[in-house]
Structures are given as C-alpha cells and as structure tokens.
Amino acid sequence: MIYDSPLVSGRLLQRYKRFLADVRLDDGREVTAHCANTGSMQHCAEPGSRVWLRDSADPKRKLRYSWEWVEVAGRWRACINTARPNQLVQEALQQGLAGHGPLASLTLGYQLQREPKVEDGRLDFRLHSHADQPDIWVEVKSVTLLNDLSAVQPGLGRFPDAVTARGLKHLQRLMATVAGGERALLLFCVPHEGINRVQAAADIDPAYARALAQAAAAGVEVLAFGVDFAHADQQAGMTLSQPLPVVIE
C-alpha cells in the first residue's frame, strides 16, 4: 500500500484517551492526531519517540492528522494504525489471485470476498473456490508488541497486547468453519521491523493463548508475515513480505 500523501514526522508528546496523541512536528508545531489503536501499545507509545503522521489536509476533519508509524526504542519502525494490516493482507491476497506475491500459493484459483458474514458476526476475508476445493476463511491480527527490548536478541512478537474477547470469538468461529469442512486461516500481520517470530501472550490473555493452541490442533492454519517499510520525502508505503515463524504452546 502507498500513502496518498507524504508522511509528516515529529516527536510524540503523549498518547491519551486511547484515540488521541499530541505530537510536536519537526517544524515546531504541536498537533493532536487521531490514534487508530485501542490496544495498550506497549513500547509503541513512549513520549519522545519519533513518529510519522498522515496529513489529510481536510479542513472539515476534526483531527487533520492520523498517527501511522512510530520508531520503537530508536531502532525499529512499527505501524500502529490497526486498519493497515487488513489493507496489506487484502493487497497481498489480490496479488496472489493474479499468481504473484507472498500469498500466491494460498490464493491461486479463488475469488476474494471482504468481511464475509458468519453466524455471529463477520470475519475479514473469504476465498471462494472455483473448483472442488473448500473455501478459505481468513482472519487478520496485527502484532506490534515486542516482548523484551533489553534482550540481546529480542525479536519475539506477542499477541494480544490487551485482553481480547473479540479475538477469542474469532478463534472460535475459525474452529467452527474447520469443523464444517472448510479451511480457516489466522494470519498475524507484523508491521514491526524488530519482530522476527510470533507467540501468544499467555500472561496478558491466557484464554486467548489456550484457544490459539486449541485452534491450531483443530486444523486452523496459523501464519505470520512481516512487513517491509518504504519511506521517502514524497512517498511512503508498506508491503507484506516474508513469512515468520509462529510459536504455539
């Protein structure tokens, strides 16, 4: 995905009320940006961190700026806008339908549907088969919690960063689709340059960790993919990149 305007950089002053962030831009102005992330954002919301905002340039918007990226521990870029992973996965799925990209082996021969209805809500995507193959249901989760910044080789990304009843419900729905004879895929999108493997955060949400292990044992396919960041003065973007290991205990 390519942003429709250059990202504006600055320093984070504070994140508060979950959806608000005060930022001092590089030109000295202080602005309040929208924060599209309801999680704890552990390690991703430290005052003084370098951040990048999207400028809508829309005078009708209550908050002109949206917080997109943060530099974690002065080393790694991470995207904290939780809407972006679905966009990245959708882009990769569409590329896969055309026979290229990191998800080509999964999607070739299917038709893509966004936000398909299920019995008790919606999942993110459904791949409809044109042949005698089961459909594939896909749920996307964003991983930005880096486990231990002080470790010699940190690298371990964990999900969730706060208790998630919604995420637990999604796992249960994925298991139900497998029980019904279809395929189900949980895809961890990892828009964080410092993460090289993914594991459930059992200390934060033990119910989710147990359900993830149960889902994997029941046949839900669990994958993780990293994200490549690109940034220049006039253009910024991200793409889904290489697969990452998932540790299930």
Side-chain angles (χ1 to χ4, degrees):
M1 63 157 286
I2 301 297
Y3 287 98
D4 56 6
S5 61
L7 296 183
V8 181
S9 62
R11 296 283 174 177
L12 180 66
L13 299 176
Q14 63 172 334
R15 179 221 183 186
Y16 56 103
K17 296 182 180 178
R18 291 200 304 175
F19 299 108
L20 300 176
D22 290 340
V23 174
R24 180 178 291 113
L25 302 181
D26 290 345
D27 64 9
R29 289 179 296 149
E30 292 187 10
V31 301
T32 298
H34 177 248
C35 175
N37 191 315
T38 60
S40 72
M41 290 181 59
Q42 185 177 345
H43 305 317
C44 291
E46 301 300 317
S49 297
R50 186 171 180 80
V51 297
W52 289 264
L53 311 179
R54 176 181 171 272
D55 181 0
S56 70
D58 183 354
K60 296 181 180 179
R61 280 191 54 173
K62 183 177 180 180
L63 295 176
R64 170 174 168 172
Y65 294 92
S66 299
W67 184 6
E68 292 289 334
W69 299 355
V70 62
E71 188 176 65
V72 179
R75 299 172 61 185
W76 306 290
R77 286 171 294 187
C79 178
I80 60 86
N81 185 337
T82 53
R84 301 308 180 199
N86 276 48
Q87 295 175 7
L88 292 170
V89 171
Q90 179 178 334
E91 181 181 79
L93 288 170
Q94 290 171 332
Q95 292 173 346
L97 295 175
H100 58 91
L103 300 180
S105 61
L106 174 72
T107 60
L108 193 59
Y110 285 85
Q111 181 179 0
L112 180 62
Q113 177 188 357
R114 291 184 56 201
E115 298 186 349
K117 291 183 179 180
V118 292
E119 182 179 341
D120 51 357
R122 294 180 183 273
L123 292 173
D124 287 325
F125 301 102
R126 185 178 186 179
L127 295 167
H128 292 278
S129 173
H130 295 300
D132 187 21
Q133 302 180 76
D135 287 357
I136 307 174
W137 298 78
V138 182
E139 181 63 22
V140 179
K141 298 300 179 189
S142 177
V143 181
T144 58
L145 173 57
L146 183 59
N147 188 44
D148 186 358
L149 297 179
S150 65
V152 176
Q153 294 181 321
L156 177 61
R158 302 196 301 146
F159 182 89
D161 67 356
V163 174
T164 173
R166 186 168 178 265
L168 180 60
K169 180 180 176 181
H170 288 151
L171 282 178
Q172 293 166 343
R173 174 45 50 193
L174 292 173
M175 284 189 276
T177 62
V178 171
E182 296 184 307
R183 291 177 65 187
L185 171 63
L186 177 65
L187 195 156
F188 289 115
C189 178
V190 187
H192 191 308
E193 293 177 320
I195 293 175
N196 56 35
R197 61 197 188 281
V198 175
Q199 184 177 30
D203 58 324
I204 295 174
D205 192 340
Y208 186 87
R210 289 193 298 269
L212 179 61
Q214 292 168 359
V220 175
E221 301 164 53
V222 183
L223 301 177
F225 284 83
V227 169
D228 287 336
F229 289 74
H231 186 247
D233 288 342
Q234 297 302 317
Q235 194 172 70
M238 297 178 290
T239 54
L240 204 70
S241 60
Q242 76 282 355
L244 302 177
V246 180
V247 181
I248 299 177
E249 296 180 338

